[in-house]
Amino acid sequence: MLIVLVKIIEAFVLPPGLFVSAPFVLGLLWMKSSKKKALLLLFFSLLSYLLTTSVGTFLFVRPLEKSFQPQTFENCDAVIVLGGGIFKTPDGYELRPHAFKRLVEAIQIAKKYDAVLVVSGGMLPGTFGVPEASIMAELARKFGLPSEKILLDVQSRNTFENARNVTEIVRRSNLKRPILVTSAVHMKRAVVSFKMFNLEVQPHPVDYLCDYGPLSWIDFVPTRESLEANMLGVHEIVGLLWYKLRR
C-alpha cells in the first residue's frame, strides 16, 4: 500500500502531473483574491487532468479505437501500411514505435496471403533525410519480403495524401482487395480518407493505446503514456472535424 501512495504522490509532483496539481493549488489559493483567475486555473487543471489520465483516454481514444474491430479476411491481394514517423539515430534512420508496430503486422499479413505490401510515407515539411516509405521498405526486405512484392509511395505528407497516392498505386497495379493497416486510433480517419477517393479498404487496426483491462488506481493518475495517447486522440478528432468542414 505504501508503494501505491508513493507512486500517486510522485505522479502529481512530476510532469505531466505537475500541470494538474500546480494550477489546482494556485486556483484554490487565489479563489478569494481573484475569482476569475482562480476559475481559469482550475479549468486548466481539469483539462490537464483529462489529457494526462486514462479518464481522458476513455473519452478521446477509446471511441476511435472501437470504430473497427480486428477480423480475419477471406483473401487479399494488397496490404497497405501507413507511416507513423521516423527519427535519426547515430546508426541511421529508424521507425518510431507506432510505425514499427504497423509495419510488422502488415508484413505478417502480406506473407500470409502472398500479397503485395504498399508502404506509404514521405518527408514532412521542414524535415530532411529519406522518405519514411523507403525505411519501411528496407525493413520489410530484412524481414524476408522480396523487393518485387513491395510498392512505395514516397510523396505523402499526411493521411489525405496517403489515401490519394496509394489509391493511384492500387488502381494502376490492378489490385482489388486491399487491407489497410494503421494504428487503431488513426483507422477511422484513414478509412474516411480512402472513401474520399472511392477506394474500399478492409481495415485491420493495430497498435492499441487504450488499456482494456479492469480499472485500477493507475487509471486515475497522470502518466506520460496517457498524455501521448490523448494527444493522438485529440489530433484524430480535430482531423475528422476538418474533413467535415472541407466537404
Side-chain angles (χ1 to χ4, degrees):
M1 191 63 186
L2 179 60
I3 186 64
V4 173
L5 181 60
V6 170
K7 289 292 184 181
I8 292 175
I9 295 173
E10 183 181 85
F12 283 97
V13 170
L14 298 175
L18 181 63
F19 304 120
V20 177
S21 55
F24 180 77
V25 172
L26 287 173
L28 293 179
L29 292 175
W30 286 3
M31 188 60 73
K32 289 184 179 180
S33 60
S34 180
K35 194 170 183 179
K36 288 185 178 180
K37 289 183 179 179
L39 290 175
L40 183 62
L41 284 168
L42 291 175
F43 173 77
F44 181 80
S45 176
L46 175 62
L47 181 61
S48 297
Y49 181 78
L50 291 177
L51 289 175
T52 57
T53 65
S54 292
V55 177
T57 307
F58 185 85
L59 296 173
F60 304 128
V61 178
R62 186 180 291 242
L64 291 170
E65 290 193 336
K66 296 186 76 173
S67 298
F68 299 94
Q69 300 297 322
Q71 56 184 306
T72 56
F73 305 99
E74 292 183 4
N75 59 73
C76 85
D77 55 4
V79 183
I80 302 165
V81 57
L82 305 185
I86 60 174
F87 65 105
K88 189 173 185 180
T89 72
D91 295 325
Y93 288 93
E94 291 184 5
L95 296 178
R96 293 193 181 278
H98 298 299
F100 183 79
K101 291 176 184 178
R102 299 175 188 182
L103 180 63
V104 169
E105 184 70 15
I107 291 171
Q108 291 177 339
I109 297 173
K111 286 184 175 181
K112 178 180 179 180
Y113 292 99
D114 191 27
V116 172
L117 179 69
V118 184
V119 292
S120 177
M123 292 185 294
L124 293 176
T127 61
F128 305 93
V130 296
E132 184 176 0
S134 299
I135 303 299
M136 290 195 288
E138 181 182 352
L139 191 55
R141 286 189 286 268
K142 289 181 179 178
F143 275 94
L145 210 60
S147 296
E148 61 269 19
K149 284 286 189 178
I150 306 172
L151 300 177
L152 285 77
D153 157 35
V154 297
Q155 302 297 327
S156 297
R157 298 164 296 179
N158 54 39
T159 303
F160 181 83
E161 292 184 2
N162 285 142
R164 181 190 64 196
N165 296 338
V166 169
T167 296
E168 183 180 341
I169 292 172
V170 167
R171 287 176 177 159
R172 187 171 64 239
S173 303
N174 198 31
L175 301 168
K176 302 298 184 182
R177 295 284 294 170
I179 290 175
L180 175 63
V181 177
T182 190
S183 300
V185 71
H186 181 231
M187 183 60 78
K188 185 173 184 177
R189 186 161 63 97
V191 169
V192 169
S193 298
F194 279 95
K195 283 184 178 179
M196 291 179 181
F197 298 95
N198 298 313
L199 181 66
E200 288 294 327
V201 293
Q202 304 175 84
H204 184 76
V206 296
D207 183 33
Y208 283 83
L209 301 175
C210 263
D211 184 351
Y212 290 85
L215 283 176
S216 70
W217 64 269
I218 195 67
D219 294 307
F220 298 95
V221 299
T223 64
R224 292 187 298 273
E225 293 77 14
S226 292
L227 176 60
E228 180 188 6
N230 287 325
M231 293 308 297
L232 289 172
V234 170
H235 176 79
E236 294 303 318
I237 292 169
V238 172
L240 286 167
L241 291 174
W242 174 243
Y243 281 5
K244 287 185 178 181
L245 290 174
R246 288 183 65 177
R247 285 188 291 186

